[in-house]
Amino acid sequence: MKPLHDLPPLREVIARHGLAASKALGQNFLLDAQLLARIARVPGDLTDAEVLEIGPGPGGLTRALLGAGARVTAIERDHRCIPALAELGEAFPGRLRVIEGDALEIDAPALFEGKPHIASNLPYNIGTALLVGWLSAEWRPWWRSLTLMFQREVADRIVAGVGDDAYGRLAILSQWRSTAKLAMPVHRSAFTPPPKVMSAVVHIVPADAPADVDLGVLERLTGAAFGQRRKMLRQSLKPVPGALAALEAIGIDPARRAETVSVAEFIALARAAR
């Protein structure tokens, strides 16, 4: 296994393989080795741990994960990147498995015997869809933790607290049975090419699901409440069967608006509205 400092610079790999970032695939490459190493440390000790990476591109974060001791499975849709990743696999024999395909279509849990960490600089155009899928899976989930790069606006929506402007359905989905925190902001200048927006790394760790709460009921409640977030709950929740009676049963003032209702209160509401 080669030390990371023996590998050719990422810029050289990108130039040699003609890997200009594809706007259609939502690609923005990270080249800063120190920043990538910091991201790879977010999940904790990765020595001999399984890690799933989505959209590795030329392999910047992949290098950092391998350097941290992980065994990486990388799913890459862009066939142009496969030769560069194959070279990286040769430098870390038996520690990198590359699967060419669309992460939205591949049965990722079937690729692992244990529970992997998921660590990715996600393509912007599929990041939220992947996250929602991972958070909506059976619980406890098939993954150990999520360390994911998002546009800062999306990251803020994931970690938002009650009363924040960004607080909404995504915050509740991310927090009702897991903990979500902002691990680090990432300036747009760190990427090649620089995107128009800032980014941030979010770290999510699953927790036990609250008893007697159905995800479908919770999703209907939050969908209705935040779908008309400027309206009082008595108006926005009227279409959800049992919601108004549940408000009364647990003592939530129906004149409140969705952004004032905490995650814990939505959990109680979902439990009462079953």
Side-chain angles (χ1 to χ4, degrees), residues 150-215:
F150 290 99
Q151 296 178 52
R152 181 61 191 259
E153 178 187 359
V154 176
D156 287 343
R157 288 168 54 205
I158 293 167
V159 304
V162 63
D164 293 346
D165 289 343
Y167 182 67
R169 298 177 69 185
L170 193 55
I172 293 164
L173 180 61
S174 301
Q175 297 173 36
W176 79 282
R177 53 184 180 179
S178 58
T179 59
K181 68 176 184 179
L182 196 68
M184 69 180 77
V186 180
H187 197 275
R188 56 185 295 274
S189 62
F191 295 89
T192 300
K196 295 180 180 179
V197 296
M198 299 297 189
S199 299
V201 176
V202 170
H203 185 54
I204 298 175
V205 179
D208 291 333
D212 301 320
V213 178
D214 182 274
L215 174 60

Coordinates of all heavy atoms in Angstrom, one line a residue, residues 150-215:
F150 N -23.0 19.0 1.5 CA -24.2 19.6 0.8 C -23.9 21.1 0.5 O -23.0 21.7 1.1 CB -25.4 19.5 1.7 CG -25.9 18.1 1.9 CD1 -25.6 17.4 3.1 CD2 -26.8 17.6 1.0 CE1 -26.1 16.2 3.3 CE2 -27.3 16.3 1.2 CZ -27.0 15.6 2.4
Q151 N -24.7 21.6 -0.3 CA -24.8 23.1 -0.4 C -25.2 23.6 1.0 O -26.0 23.0 1.7 CB -25.9 23.5 -1.4 CG -25.6 23.1 -2.8 CD -26.7 23.6 -3.8 OE1 -27.1 24.7 -3.8 NE2 -27.2 22.7 -4.6
R152 N -24.6 24.7 1.4 CA -24.8 25.2 2.8 C -26.3 25.4 3.1 O -26.8 25.1 4.2 CB -24.1 26.6 3.0 CG -24.2 27.1 4.4 CD -23.6 26.2 5.4 NE -24.0 26.6 6.8 CZ -23.1 27.3 7.6 NH1 -21.9 27.6 7.1 NH2 -23.5 27.6 8.8
E153 N -27.1 25.8 2.1 CA -28.5 26.0 2.3 C -29.2 24.7 2.7 O -30.1 24.7 3.6 CB -29.2 26.6 1.0 CG -30.7 26.8 1.1 CD -31.3 27.1 -0.2 OE1 -30.6 27.3 -1.2 OE2 -32.5 27.3 -0.2
V154 N -28.8 23.6 2.0 CA -29.4 22.3 2.4 C -28.9 21.8 3.7 O -29.7 21.3 4.6 CB -29.1 21.3 1.3 CG1 -29.6 19.9 1.7 CG2 -29.6 21.7 -0.1
A155 N -27.6 22.0 4.0 CA -27.0 21.6 5.3 C -27.8 22.3 6.4 O -28.1 21.7 7.5 CB -25.5 22.0 5.3
D156 N -28.0 23.6 6.2 CA -28.8 24.4 7.3 C -30.2 23.8 7.5 O -30.7 23.8 8.6 CB -28.8 25.9 6.9 CG -27.5 26.6 7.0 OD1 -26.6 26.1 7.7 OD2 -27.4 27.7 6.4
R157 N -30.8 23.4 6.4 CA -32.1 22.8 6.6 C -32.1 21.5 7.3 O -33.1 21.1 8.0 CB -32.8 22.6 5.2 CG -33.2 23.9 4.5 CD -33.5 23.6 3.0 NE -34.5 22.5 2.9 CZ -34.6 21.8 1.8 NH1 -33.8 22.0 0.7 NH2 -35.5 20.8 1.7
I158 N -31.0 20.7 7.2 CA -30.9 19.4 7.9 C -30.7 19.6 9.4 O -31.3 18.9 10.2 CB -29.7 18.6 7.3 CG1 -30.0 18.3 5.8 CG2 -29.4 17.4 8.1 CD1 -28.8 17.8 5.1
V159 N -29.9 20.6 9.8 CA -29.5 20.7 11.2 C -30.4 21.8 11.9 O -30.2 22.0 13.1 CB -28.0 21.0 11.4 CG1 -27.2 20.0 10.7 CG2 -27.7 22.4 10.8
A160 N -31.3 22.5 11.2 CA -32.0 23.6 11.8 C -32.8 23.2 13.1 O -33.3 22.1 13.2 CB -33.0 24.2 10.8
G161 N -32.9 24.2 14.0 CA -33.7 24.0 15.2 C -35.0 24.7 15.1 O -35.2 25.6 14.2
V162 N -35.9 24.4 16.0 CA -37.3 25.1 15.9 C -37.1 26.6 16.0 O -36.2 27.1 16.8 CB -38.1 24.5 17.1 CG1 -37.5 24.8 18.4 CG2 -39.5 25.0 17.0
G163 N -37.8 27.3 15.2 CA -37.7 28.7 15.1 C -36.8 29.3 14.1 O -36.8 30.5 13.8
D164 N -35.8 28.4 13.6 CA -34.9 28.9 12.6 C -35.6 29.0 11.3 O -36.6 28.3 11.0 CB -33.8 27.9 12.4 CG -32.8 27.8 13.6 OD1 -32.9 28.7 14.5 OD2 -32.0 26.8 13.7
D165 N -35.1 30.0 10.4 CA -35.8 30.1 9.1 C -35.7 28.9 8.3 O -36.6 28.6 7.5 CB -35.0 31.3 8.4 CG -35.3 32.7 9.0 OD1 -36.3 32.8 9.7 OD2 -34.6 33.6 8.7
A166 N -34.6 28.1 8.5 CA -34.4 26.9 7.7 C -35.2 25.7 8.2 O -35.2 24.6 7.6 CB -32.9 26.6 7.6
Y167 N -35.8 25.8 9.4 CA -36.5 24.7 10.0 C -37.7 24.2 9.2 O -38.5 25.0 8.8 CB -36.9 25.1 11.4 CG -37.6 24.0 12.3 CD1 -36.9 22.9 12.7 CD2 -38.9 24.2 12.6 CE1 -37.5 22.0 13.5 CE2 -39.6 23.2 13.4 CZ -38.9 22.1 13.9 OH -39.5 21.2 14.7
G168 N -37.8 22.9 9.0 CA -38.9 22.4 8.2 C -38.9 20.8 8.2 O -38.3 20.2 9.0
R169 N -39.4 20.3 7.1 CA -39.6 18.8 7.0 C -38.3 18.1 7.0 O -38.1 17.0 7.7 CB -40.3 18.5 5.7 CG -41.7 19.0 5.6 CD -42.4 18.7 4.3 NE -42.7 17.3 4.2 CZ -43.2 16.7 3.1 NH1 -43.4 17.4 2.0 NH2 -43.5 15.4 3.1
L170 N -37.2 18.6 6.4 CA -36.0 18.0 6.3 C -35.3 17.9 7.7 O -34.7 16.9 8.0 CB -35.1 18.6 5.3 CG -33.8 17.9 4.9 CD1 -34.1 16.5 4.3 CD2 -33.0 18.7 3.8
A171 N -35.4 19.0 8.5 CA -34.9 19.0 9.8 C -35.5 17.9 10.7 O -34.9 17.2 11.4 CB -35.1 20.3 10.5
I172 N -36.9 17.8 10.6 CA -37.6 16.8 11.4 C -37.2 15.4 10.9 O -37.0 14.5 11.7 CB -39.1 17.0 11.3 CG1 -39.4 18.4 12.0 CG2 -39.9 15.9 12.0 CD1 -40.7 18.9 11.8
L173 N -37.2 15.1 9.6 CA -36.8 13.8 9.1 C -35.4 13.4 9.6 O -35.1 12.3 9.9 CB -36.8 13.8 7.6 CG -36.5 12.5 6.9 CD1 -37.4 11.4 7.3 CD2 -36.5 12.7 5.4
S174 N -34.5 14.4 9.6 CA -33.1 14.2 10.0 C -32.9 14.0 11.5 O -31.9 13.4 12.0 CB -32.2 15.3 9.5 OG -32.3 15.5 8.1
Q175 N -33.8 14.6 12.3 CA -33.6 14.6 13.7 C -34.5 13.8 14.6 O -34.3 13.7 15.8 CB -33.7 16.1 14.2 CG -32.6 17.0 13.5 CD -32.8 18.5 13.9 OE1 -33.2 18.8 14.9 NE2 -32.5 19.3 12.9
W176 N -35.6 13.3 14.1 CA -36.6 12.7 15.0 C -36.1 11.3 15.5 O -36.5 10.9 16.6 CB -38.0 12.5 14.3 CG -38.1 11.4 13.3 CD1 -37.7 11.4 12.0 CD2 -38.8 10.2 13.6 NE1 -38.1 10.2 11.4 CE2 -38.8 9.4 12.3 CE3 -39.5 9.6 14.6 CZ2 -39.4 8.2 12.2 CZ3 -40.1 8.4 14.5 CH2 -40.0 7.6 13.3
R177 N -35.2 10.7 14.8 CA -34.6 9.4 15.3 C -33.1 9.3 15.0 O -32.5 8.2 14.9 CB -35.3 8.2 14.8 CG -35.5 8.2 13.3 CD -36.3 7.0 12.8 NE -36.4 7.0 11.3 CZ -37.1 6.1 10.6 NH1 -37.7 5.1 11.2 NH2 -37.1 6.2 9.3
S178 N -32.4 10.5 14.8 CA -31.0 10.5 14.7 C -30.5 11.9 15.1 O -31.3 12.8 15.3 CB -30.6 10.3 13.2 OG -31.2 11.2 12.3
T179 N -29.2 12.1 15.3 CA -28.6 13.4 15.6 C -27.9 13.9 14.4 O -27.2 13.1 13.7 CB -27.7 13.2 16.8 OG1 -26.6 12.3 16.4 CG2 -28.3 12.7 18.0
A180 N -28.1 15.2 14.1 CA -27.5 15.8 12.9 C -26.8 17.0 13.4 O -27.4 17.9 14.1 CB -28.6 16.1 11.9
K181 N -25.6 17.2 13.0 CA -24.8 18.4 13.3 C -24.0 18.8 12.1 O -23.6 18.1 11.2 CB -23.9 18.1 14.5 CG -22.7 17.1 14.2 CD -21.8 17.0 15.4 CE -20.6 16.1 15.1 NZ -19.6 16.0 16.2
L182 N -23.7 20.1 12.1 CA -22.8 20.7 11.1 C -21.4 20.5 11.5 O -20.9 21.0 12.5 CB -23.1 22.2 11.0 CG -22.6 22.9 9.8 CD1 -23.4 22.5 8.5 CD2 -22.8 24.5 9.9
A183 N -20.7 19.6 10.7 CA -19.3 19.3 11.1 C -18.3 20.3 10.7 O -17.4 20.6 11.4 CB -19.0 17.9 10.4
M184 N -18.5 21.0 9.5 CA -17.6 22.0 9.1 C -18.2 22.8 7.9 O -18.8 22.1 7.0 CB -16.2 21.5 8.8 CG -16.1 20.6 7.5 SD -14.4 20.0 7.2 CE -14.4 18.7 8.4
P185 N -18.0 24.1 7.8 CA -18.3 24.8 6.6 C -17.2 24.6 5.6 O -16.0 24.4 6.0 CB -18.4 26.3 7.1 CG -17.5 26.3 8.2 CD -17.5 25.0 8.9
V186 N -17.5 24.7 4.3 CA -16.5 24.6 3.3 C -16.7 25.7 2.3 O -17.8 25.8 1.7 CB -16.6 23.2 2.5 CG1 -15.5 23.1 1.5 CG2 -16.4 22.1 3.5
H187 N -15.7 26.5 2.1 CA -15.8 27.7 1.2 C -15.8 27.2 -0.2 O -15.2 26.2 -0.6 CB -14.6 28.6 1.4 CG -14.8 30.0 0.9 ND1 -14.5 30.3 -0.4 CD2 -15.2 31.1 1.5 CE1 -14.8 31.6 -0.6 NE2 -15.2 32.1 0.5
R188 N -16.6 28.0 -1.0 CA -16.7 27.6 -2.5 C -15.4 27.6 -3.2 O -15.2 26.8 -4.1 CB -17.6 28.6 -3.2 CG -17.2 30.1 -3.0 CD -18.3 31.0 -3.7 NE -18.4 30.8 -5.1 CZ -17.6 31.4 -6.0 NH1 -16.7 32.3 -5.6 NH2 -17.8 31.2 -7.3
S189 N -14.4 28.3 -2.7 CA -13.1 28.3 -3.4 C -12.3 27.0 -3.2 O -11.3 26.8 -3.9 CB -12.2 29.5 -2.8 OG -12.0 29.3 -1.4
A190 N -12.8 26.1 -2.3 CA -12.1 24.9 -2.1 C -12.4 23.9 -3.3 O -11.7 22.9 -3.4 CB -12.6 24.2 -0.8
F191 N -13.4 24.2 -4.1 CA -13.8 23.3 -5.2 C -13.2 23.7 -6.5 O -12.9 24.9 -6.8 CB -15.3 23.3 -5.3 CG -16.0 22.7 -4.1 CD1 -16.4 23.5 -3.1 CD2 -16.3 21.4 -4.0 CE1 -17.0 23.0 -1.9 CE2 -17.0 20.8 -2.9 CZ -17.3 21.7 -1.9
T192 N -13.1 22.7 -7.4 CA -12.7 22.9 -8.8 C -13.8 22.3 -9.7 O -13.9 21.1 -9.6 CB -11.4 22.3 -9.1 OG1 -10.4 23.0 -8.3 CG2 -11.0 22.6 -10.6
P193 N -14.6 23.1 -10.5 CA -14.6 24.5 -10.4 C -15.4 25.0 -9.2 O -16.2 24.3 -8.7 CB -15.4 24.8 -11.7 CG -16.3 23.7 -11.9 CD -15.5 22.5 -11.4
P194 N -15.2 26.3 -8.8 CA -15.9 26.8 -7.6 C -17.4 26.9 -7.9 O -17.8 27.5 -8.9 CB -15.3 28.2 -7.4 CG -14.0 28.2 -8.1 CD -14.2 27.2 -9.3
P195 N -18.3 26.3 -7.1 CA -19.7 26.5 -7.3 C -20.1 27.9 -6.9 O -19.3 28.7 -6.4 CB -20.3 25.5 -6.3 CG -19.3 25.3 -5.3 CD -18.0 25.5 -5.9
K196 N -21.3 28.3 -7.2 CA -21.8 29.6 -6.9 C -22.2 29.8 -5.5 O -22.4 30.9 -5.0 CB -23.0 29.9 -7.8 CG -22.7 30.0 -9.3 CD -23.9 30.3 -10.1 CE -23.6 30.4 -11.6 NZ -24.8 30.7 -12.4
V197 N -22.3 28.7 -4.7 CA -22.8 28.7 -3.4 C -21.7 28.1 -2.4 O -20.8 27.4 -2.8 CB -24.1 28.0 -3.2 CG1 -25.2 28.6 -4.0 CG2 -24.0 26.5 -3.6
M198 N -21.9 28.4 -1.1 CA -21.0 27.8 -0.1 C -21.6 26.4 0.2 O -22.7 26.0 -0.1 CB -21.1 28.6 1.2 CG -20.5 30.0 1.0 SD -18.8 30.1 0.5 CE -18.4 31.8 0.6
S199 N -20.7 25.6 0.8 CA -21.1 24.2 1.2 C -20.8 24.0 2.6 O -20.3 24.8 3.4 CB -20.2 23.3 0.3 OG -20.5 23.4 -1.1
A200 N -21.2 22.8 3.1 CA -20.9 22.4 4.5 C -21.0 20.9 4.6 O -21.7 20.2 3.8 CB -21.9 23.0 5.5
V201 N -20.3 20.3 5.5 CA -20.3 18.9 5.8 C -21.2 18.6 7.0 O -21.1 19.3 8.0 CB -18.9 18.3 6.1 CG1 -19.0 16.8 6.5 CG2 -18.0 18.5 4.9
V202 N -22.2 17.7 6.8 CA -23.1 17.4 7.9 C -22.8 15.9 8.3 O -22.5 15.1 7.5 CB -24.6 17.4 7.3 CG1 -25.5 16.8 8.3 CG2 -24.9 18.9 7.0
H203 N -22.9 15.7 9.6 CA -22.6 14.4 10.2 C -23.9 13.9 10.9 O -24.5 14.7 11.8 CB -21.5 14.4 11.2 CG -21.1 13.1 11.8 ND1 -20.8 12.0 11.0 CD2 -21.0 12.7 13.0 CE1 -20.5 11.0 11.7 NE2 -20.6 11.3 13.0
I204 N -24.4 12.8 10.5 CA -25.7 12.2 11.1 C -25.4 10.8 11.7 O -24.8 10.0 11.0 CB -26.8 12.2 10.0 CG1 -27.1 13.6 9.5 CG2 -28.0 11.5 10.5 CD1 -28.0 13.6 8.3
V205 N -25.9 10.6 12.9 CA -25.7 9.3 13.6 C -27.1 8.9 14.0 O -27.8 9.6 14.6 CB -24.8 9.5 14.8 CG1 -24.7 8.1 15.5 CG2 -23.4 10.0 14.4
P206 N -27.5 7.6 13.7 CA -28.8 7.1 14.0 C -28.9 6.9 15.5 O -28.0 6.6 16.2 CB -28.9 5.8 13.2 CG -27.5 5.4 13.0 CD -26.7 6.6 12.9
A207 N -30.2 7.1 16.0 CA -30.5 6.8 17.4 C -31.7 5.9 17.4 O -32.3 5.6 16.3 CB -30.8 8.1 18.1
D208 N -32.2 5.5 18.5 CA -33.4 4.7 18.6 C -34.6 5.5 18.2 O -34.7 6.7 18.6 CB -33.6 4.1 20.0 CG -32.5 3.1 20.4 OD1 -32.0 2.5 19.5 OD2 -32.2 3.0 21.6
A209 N -35.5 4.9 17.5 CA -36.7 5.5 17.1 C -37.6 5.6 18.2 O -37.8 4.7 19.0 CB -37.4 4.8 15.9
P210 N -38.3 6.8 18.4 CA -39.3 6.9 19.5 C -40.4 5.8 19.3 O -40.8 5.5 18.2 CB -39.9 8.3 19.3 CG -38.9 9.0 18.5 CD -38.2 8.0 17.6
A211 N -40.9 5.3 20.4 CA -41.9 4.2 20.3 C -43.2 4.7 19.8 O -43.6 5.9 20.0 CB -42.1 3.6 21.7
D212 N -43.9 3.8 19.1 CA -45.3 4.1 18.6 C -45.4 5.3 17.7 O -46.4 6.0 17.8 CB -46.2 4.2 19.8 CG -46.2 3.0 20.7 OD1 -46.2 1.9 20.2 OD2 -46.3 3.1 22.0
V213 N -44.4 5.5 16.9 CA -44.5 6.6 15.9 C -44.3 6.1 14.5 O -43.3 5.4 14.3 CB -43.4 7.7 16.2 CG1 -43.5 8.8 15.1 CG2 -43.6 8.3 17.6
D214 N -45.3 6.3 13.7 CA -45.2 5.8 12.3 C -44.7 6.9 11.4 O -45.1 8.1 11.4 CB -46.7 5.5 11.9 CG -46.7 4.9 10.4 OD1 -46.7 5.7 9.5 OD2 -46.6 3.6 10.3
L215 N -43.6 6.6 10.6 CA -43.0 7.5 9.7 C -44.0 8.1 8.7 O -44.0 9.3 8.5 CB -41.8 6.9 9.0 CG -41.1 7.8 7.9 CD1 -40.6 9.0 8.5 CD2 -40.0 7.0 7.2

